Amino acid sequence: YFAIDPKLQNKGIGSKLIREMEKEAKIDKVKMICVFTHSSKAEKFYKNNGFIEFGRINFSKKEKRVFLYKRI
C-alpha cells in the first residue's frame, strides 16, 4: 500500500514514486504491476500513469473495487 498525504497531492510526487517503483521492478525482471483501489481519484491517478483497468466490482452505488495493471 502507498498513499500521498493529501496536502502533498497534485505535485507529481505519486507519479514520481510510481516511476521509481517501475525502475526497481525492471531490475528484478518484473513484467507487470497490478493494483486495486476503491477511490475514483486514485483510479484516475493510475490511469493517468499508464495503468489499464481489467476488472471492476461494484458492491453498491458508493462502494467499488477497481483492478488495474501496467506492463513494464
Side-chain angles (χ1 to χ4, degrees):
Y1 297 94
F2 85 92
I4 304 299
D5 185 312
K7 292 177 263 178
L8 300 173
Q9 291 177 1
N10 301 307
K11 298 180 188 299
I13 296 168
S15 294
K16 183 174 181 179
L17 184 59
I18 290 283
R19 287 192 301 273
E20 291 300 317
M21 181 178 64
E22 290 172 1
K23 285 182 193 176
E24 291 297 317
K26 285 180 183 179
I27 291 169
D28 291 337
K29 298 185 174 32
V30 172
K31 303 291 184 203
M32 182 184 298
I33 298 172
C34 296
V35 298
F36 73 90
T37 184
H38 58 86
S39 161
S40 295
K41 188 173 182 180
E43 177 184 351
K44 182 178 178 185
F45 165 79
Y46 285 119
K47 287 180 176 179
N48 286 341
N49 280 280
F51 285 77
I52 299 166
E53 181 178 328
F54 69 90
R56 176 181 296 262
I57 301 171
N58 293 310
F59 298 108
S60 68
K61 288 183 179 181
K62 293 184 178 182
E63 190 175 355
K64 66 182 177 182
R65 293 290 181 275
V66 181
F67 302 86
L68 306 104
Y69 76 93
K70 181 176 184 181
R71 293 189 190 280
I72 56 172

